[in-house]
Structure formats: C-alpha cells, structure tokens
Amino acid sequence: MNLRDKLRGLLVRLYARRVEGHLDHAQVPKHIGVIMDGNRRWAKAAGSTTVHGHRAGAEKIEEFLGWCSETDVEVVTLWLLSTDNFDRPQEELGPLLGIIEDVVRTLAADGRWRVHHVGTPDLLPAGMQRTLKEAEEATAHVDGIMVNVAIGYGGRQEIADAVRSMLLDARDKGVSLDDLADSVDVDMIGRHLYTGAQPDPDLVIRTSGEQRLSGFMLWQTAHSEYYFCEVFWPAFRKVDFLRALRDYAARHRRYGG
C-alpha cells in the first residue's frame, strides 16, 4: 500500500469516528434490510472471477453485523439469493449456493446471532434446507440480533405463500371461506408472512448504485426509508454504514400524516 492509500484510509477512519460520535442511538433503525448488490461487478472491476466476488461479499456479512451490533440494531434481513437468481448459469449458481450455505453455518457458529430463514424452502437443495433448519435450531436461544437470511426469496412469492398459509390455516380450523373473507385484514396477512411477528424494516440499504427494490420485502417495506449507496457490496465500509444511519436519522417519518 502506498503513502497516498494509507493517508486516504486514515482520513476515512477519522471521518467514520466523527460520524459515529455524533450518532444518536435513539434514532437508529431497529430493523435494517440489506440488498447486497454488486458482487459480480466488484469482481469484474478487480479483474477477478464471479466466484471470488461472491466470496468477498460473503466475508463482508459478519463485519456488517458487527457494526449493527455496535449501534443497537435488533433485526437485520440479508437478501442472499432471490428466486430470480435460479435463472443464472449452473457454473455460477452451484458455487454461489455453496458459499451461501457456508455463510449460514458461519453465522450459526458465531454465537452472537439468531438465524431465521425467509424464503421458499422447496426451491432449495435438500442439503441447504437441512443447514437452515439446523442453524435456526442451534441459535434459537441466542439473545442477539435476529438475522433473517433471505434465500430463495421473492417478494411476490412471499405474499402468495402468506395467502396460501392463511387459507390452509382457516381450513384446519374449520373456518368457512365466507367467514374467512369477512375477517381478512392487513394484520392477518402480516402474521402469515415469512417475518411473522417481527417489526417491519425501518431502513433498507441497497449497494452498487441501483435504485430499485427488485421485489425485496414488498409488503413489509410500505413505510420503510431507503438508502441507495454507490459502493459495491464487497467494498461497503463502516463509514458507508454510518452515513446511511445518519441519513436515516435526519429524515422525518410521517407515515402518511
């Protein structure tokens, strides 16, 4: 590393410390959703392989969760694999699934996080389904950040699954279709989402400069704030995270009022 890079790194750390010092923890979002975008473009810019980009993105996750823990965040939803990602070539999808499975094992073994899967299990290989179940069971007692790992996740699919779950639940309870129709409301549908009784995201961060949700938590983000960051996910720094929190704290959430 040359002198210029060292000085730049020092200035970034000093700036991050300054931002963190002025951060009001009472204004920190309790639930952050993250669309971790840009692994492949980061790898291409670095002259490396797509697999290396996905690995670099995976390595960023625990560091990010550490920052969340320092700032009193309670729930984090990480979008690791969308339903659309299954359309990728097998030579990319196969290694990506392996990397994601390693991420889940690492999070469970860490001991600081409570792991919860959000997504459609039937879309996933049997081995990954077992890994997710084991991670949830092994961390059920952990009194730390709830980490939702969104794997095989699509926002429209989640709503369809919630409606299906609601109908099956009514059938099992002997509730008629007419009675169910009379009782359906927003709260009832919300209880059947993958996130169940969890609070909705206060803040959604998307890296890589793309300014769209791509179907991420369509129901839960109705009142969320969004922060779009130009940095690719593997290069996301603590100062970028703190800027997102500062930006969130400066907004006035009116919820339509």
Side-chain angles (χ1 to χ4, degrees), residues 119-180:
T120 305
D122 294 344
L123 293 176
L124 306 176
M128 181 175 284
Q129 291 184 42
R130 286 193 299 272
T131 297
L132 286 165
K133 183 178 179 181
E134 290 168 359
E136 289 189 341
E137 292 173 350
T139 62
H141 67 286
V142 175
D143 185 22
I145 291 177
M146 169 72 80
V147 180
N148 295 317
V149 286
I151 304 171
Y153 176 85
R156 290 179 175 177
Q157 185 63 51
E158 178 178 24
I159 295 170
D161 286 348
V163 173
R164 184 180 301 108
S165 172
M166 185 175 63
L167 292 171
L168 292 173
D169 185 50
R171 182 201 63 186
D172 293 343
K173 293 177 179 177
V175 177
S176 71
L177 188 59
D178 287 342
D179 288 342
L180 175 61

Side-chain angles (χ1 to χ4, degrees), residues 67 70 74 89 102 137 146 148-149 165 175 203 215 222 230 232:
W67 303 334
E70 292 170 3
E74 296 175 1
D102 288 342
E137 292 173 350
M146 169 72 80
N148 295 317
V149 286
S165 172
V175 177
L203 173 66
E230 294 291 333
F232 296 139

Side-chain angles (χ1 to χ4, degrees), residues 23-226:
L23 188 66
D24 181 0
H25 281 234
Q27 297 295 320
V28 168
K30 295 305 179 185
H31 183 172
I32 297 179
V34 190
I35 304 174
M36 303 177 294
D37 198 12
N39 292 342
R40 294 187 293 180
R41 279 170 285 169
W42 176 87
K44 184 177 181 180
S48 189
T49 64
T50 296
V51 172
H52 179 232
H54 289 315
R55 286 203 181 104
E59 291 169 0
K60 177 63 61 176
I61 289 172
E62 280 207 286
E63 186 179 14
F64 177 82
L65 291 175
W67 303 334
C68 290
S69 183
E70 292 170 3
T71 48
D72 302 327
V73 175
E74 296 175 1
V75 182
V76 175
T77 299
L78 304 169
W79 200 2
L80 294 166
L81 186 76
S82 75
T83 51
D84 294 336
N85 291 153
F86 286 99
D87 294 331
R88 291 184 179 181
Q90 187 56 41
E91 58 267 25
E92 179 184 353
L93 182 60
L96 177 56
L97 288 171
I99 291 167
I100 290 172
E101 198 166 346
D102 288 342
V103 166
V104 174
R105 290 196 188 97
T106 300
L107 293 177
D110 185 283
R112 290 179 292 171
W113 327 117
R114 188 151 46 109
V115 179
H116 175 67
H117 175 230
V118 296
T120 305
D122 294 344
L123 293 176
L124 306 176
M128 181 175 284
Q129 291 184 42
R130 286 193 299 272
T131 297
L132 286 165
K133 183 178 179 181
E134 290 168 359
E136 289 189 341
E137 292 173 350
T139 62
H141 67 286
V142 175
D143 185 22
I145 291 177
M146 169 72 80
V147 180
N148 295 317
V149 286
I151 304 171
Y153 176 85
R156 290 179 175 177
Q157 185 63 51
E158 178 178 24
I159 295 170
D161 286 348
V163 173
R164 184 180 301 108
S165 172
M166 185 175 63
L167 292 171
L168 292 173
D169 185 50
R171 182 201 63 186
D172 293 343
K173 293 177 179 177
V175 177
S176 71
L177 188 59
D178 287 342
D179 288 342
L180 175 61
D182 288 340
S183 62
V184 169
D185 58 18
V186 169
D187 291 335
M188 178 183 287
I189 295 174
R191 288 194 296 272
H192 288 271
L193 296 171
Y194 300 146
T195 50
Q198 294 180 22
D200 290 339
D202 301 297
L203 173 66
V204 175
I205 299 172
R206 180 166 189 161
T207 57
S208 87
E210 302 292 347
Q211 297 190 25
R212 59 180 183 273
L213 288 183
S214 300
F216 180 68
M217 303 187 86
L218 293 173
W219 184 281
Q220 298 95 323
T221 58
H223 297 293
S224 300
E225 300 292 335
Y226 308 114

